[in-house]
Amino acid sequence: MANLLIIEDESAIRRVLVKILAEENKDYKVTEAVDGLEGIELVRDNDFDLVLCDIKMPKMDGVEVLQAMKKIKPEIPVVMISGHGDLDTAVNTMRLGAFDYISKPPDLNRLLNTVRNALDRKTLVVENQRLKKKVSKNYEMIGESELITIIKNIIEKVAPTDARVLITGQNGTGKELVAHWLHQKSDRSKGPFIEVNCAAIPSELIESELFGHVKGSFTGANKDRAGKFEAANGGTIFLDEIGDMSANAQAKVLRALQENKIQRVGSDKDIKVDVRILAATNKNLKQEIEDKKFREDLYHRLAVILINVPSLNERREDIPLLVEHFAHKIAKEQGVNTKNFTDKAIKQLQEYDWTGNIRELRNVVERLIILGGKEVSEKDVQSFASK
């Protein structure tokens, strides 16, 4: 069922439009408004999939209606209906966000094609919004502690810029989560987010992984291949565990930062890239610099903004919120009913030594959801948390 609104002061035109739409699809539900003011009120109070709006109307013309609707519900496609003398105005409405315009009297095929295309566009917009919300929930930052609040505030300030960020912290604290938030809240959010785990790639392959290679550049290079930097063009590349990167790769990353250029392995051709770099490590890079294992000049290029993610032991007051979040999420994933954690069980979890941080807490909550009683008790925590 598609809900359509016609805003038209001429009753004869309204009747024609309603008749055409009703004959086209019985699932079209059409609402009529006799002027712009009534149309805006209907849009404000109802969920429409498409609006057809006349341009020349008393009280409020179509241009004003369009501008008001784009503020109220910008996702609704608006098709303008214009007389032959209103072509310039109709074109102007396209610039203001109208989906299309139709001349009076309406051509049957043009009208129906426009309506179908507009409804398809609305479906895509809604689906994209749903997927975006889904992605955001997957990387939601849970916590209200002072340390987490500070990080959220830094992200809000830094994300809209292209400043490079170095994220530090122990394993399992959520460094990847911070990187995702920085990307999603940036102007590059519509571009790619490419992750590279530098510790998981053999040192002899890291350069090819990052910068690509040309055919024949080494054994097994059977064809040209683009690297992660090219894949991230226009978006963000996240170099996780950058402290494990080889010296040669460090030198090439430094050049990419300095010149916004890369070279594929086996090639001397420069390739321009527009990439924001985020990096993370669980190592003390200053100590690595002293030990001659990490380039100091690369460190200063990467660490324009430093974000240190606290350990779970440093933010124990967030544990109740994290437990509740994981309990609901895990129950949904496992297809079981969620379980309530008693106050004593929560207190017991807050006293636990979380060497594995958030990752370990999630595993413990999953274990308790599966193995614990109908209500997770202090005894359940004592029995299953340390296993």
Side-chain angles (χ1 to χ4, degrees):
M1 177 69 72
N3 291 323
L4 282 62
L5 173 64
I6 297 173
I7 307 174
E8 168 64 64
D9 62 311
E10 294 184 45
S11 59
I13 297 293
R14 289 204 307 274
R15 283 197 302 271
V16 171
L17 292 173
V18 170
K19 185 174 184 294
I20 292 173
L21 294 170
E23 290 176 354
E24 162 66 9
N25 194 323
K26 293 181 180 179
D27 286 334
Y28 287 167
K29 179 184 176 183
V30 182
T31 303
E32 300 176 46
V34 300
D35 59 50
L37 292 176
E38 183 183 1
I40 288 173
E41 288 304 312
L42 285 168
V43 167
R44 199 187 305 275
D45 298 335
N46 299 273
D47 292 325
F48 290 108
D49 299 298
L50 172 64
V51 173
L52 295 117
C53 181
D54 188 18
I55 290 180
K56 294 294 185 181
M57 292 185 293
K59 296 185 181 179
M60 192 177 199
D61 68 27
V63 174
E64 294 172 310
V65 173
L66 173 64
Q67 291 174 315
M69 284 189 187
K70 286 302 172 184
K71 291 179 181 178
I72 300 169
K73 293 183 179 177
E75 72 279 4
I76 301 177
V78 181
V79 176
M80 307 305 295
I81 305 170
S82 71
H84 292 297
D86 298 324
L87 185 58
D88 290 341
T89 306
V91 172
N92 182 49
T93 62
M94 299 284 286
R95 296 194 187 100
L96 294 172
F99 179 80
D100 202 348
Y101 73 90
I102 298 170
S103 297
K104 295 180 184 178
D107 176 78
L108 177 63
N109 290 328
R110 172 71 190 279
L111 171 64
L112 294 179
N113 283 333
T114 299
V115 168
R116 292 189 205 105
N117 292 337
L119 290 174
D120 288 344
R121 171 71 177 275
K122 170 73 183 321
T123 300
L124 287 173
V125 169
V126 171
E127 180 64 12
N128 286 337
Q129 289 174 340
R130 186 189 68 80
L131 289 173
K132 194 169 183 180
K133 287 179 181 177
K134 185 177 179 181
V135 170
S136 297
K137 284 188 176 181
N138 285 340
Y139 297 103
E140 193 174 359
M141 290 186 72
I142 306 298
E144 298 175 355
S145 63
E146 182 180 357
L147 292 174
I148 289 300
T149 300
I150 290 172
I151 288 177
K152 289 180 179 179
N153 289 338
I154 292 174
I155 290 174
E156 292 294 333
K157 292 178 181 178
V158 174
T161 74
D162 267 346
R164 301 180 197 109
V165 182
L166 178 62
I167 308 162
T168 61
Q170 299 174 8
N171 285 332
T173 52
K175 298 187 293 295
E176 179 186 357
L177 190 68
V178 172
H180 274 278
W181 262 52
L182 284 164
H183 174 71
Q184 289 183 4
K185 290 179 174 290
S186 75
D187 294 336
R188 295 175 176 265
S189 59
K190 293 181 180 179
F193 179 85
I194 304 297
E195 299 179 63
V196 182
N197 187 333
C198 301
I201 303 170
S203 58
E204 63 271 17
L205 296 178
I206 186 68
E207 291 180 58
S208 171
E209 189 72 16
L210 290 174
F211 309 110
H213 60 254
V214 296
K215 181 180 178 180
S217 55
F218 56 86
T219 303
N222 300 319
K223 59 181 181 179
D224 290 358
R225 179 177 178 272
K228 300 295 188 182
F229 268 81
E230 287 179 74
N233 195 44
T236 303
I237 189 167
F238 174 46
L239 303 176
D240 198 9
E241 304 300 347
I242 196 167
D244 293 281
M245 184 178 284
S246 68
N248 286 339
Q250 288 180 40
K252 289 197 172 185
V253 169
L254 179 63
R255 180 175 184 261
L257 291 173
Q258 290 172 327
E259 302 177 14
N260 294 321
K261 296 177 184 176
I262 60 151
Q263 288 182 355
R264 292 182 180 179
V265 175
S267 171
D268 58 2
K269 180 182 177 182
D270 286 336
I271 300 173
K272 285 192 173 185
V273 288
D274 172 23
V275 175
R276 182 186 192 177
I277 295 183
L278 307 176
T281 182
N282 63 353
K283 293 186 174 182
N284 182 338
L285 289 188
K286 290 188 175 181
Q287 184 61 51
E288 295 290 301
I289 291 168
E290 288 187 20
D291 295 339
K292 308 298 182 184
K293 294 180 180 178
F294 199 83
R295 296 182 64 116
E296 184 174 9
D297 47 3
L298 177 57
Y299 172 82
H300 290 302
R301 288 279 181 176
L302 292 171
V304 177
I305 304 293
L306 276 168
I307 296 179
N308 182 61
V309 186
S311 68
L312 187 54
N313 289 340
E314 295 176 283
R315 45 178 293 219
R316 294 180 187 274
E317 60 267 47
D318 287 332
I319 287 177
L321 290 173
L322 288 163
V323 170
E324 181 182 9
H325 171 74
F326 288 140
H328 282 91
K329 188 172 182 179
I330 291 165
K332 187 176 181 180
E333 290 172 356
Q334 299 291 345
V336 299
N337 293 327
T338 190
K339 293 181 179 179
N340 180 54
F341 284 66
T342 67
D343 291 342
K344 288 185 177 180
I346 294 293
K347 186 177 180 182
Q348 184 78 20
L349 289 170
Q350 286 181 297
E351 293 173 355
Y352 191 79
D353 183 18
W354 297 102
T355 55
N357 294 295
I358 307 293
R359 197 173 296 147
E360 183 184 10
L361 174 62
R362 192 195 190 283
N363 291 342
V364 167
V365 172
E366 185 167 8
R367 196 178 303 141
L368 290 167
I369 291 290
I370 296 170
L371 300 176
K374 291 184 178 180
E375 183 177 63
V376 179
S377 66
E378 180 183 18
K379 185 177 179 181
D380 290 327
V381 174
Q382 292 170 346
S383 299
F384 303 120
S386 59
K387 291 185 179 181

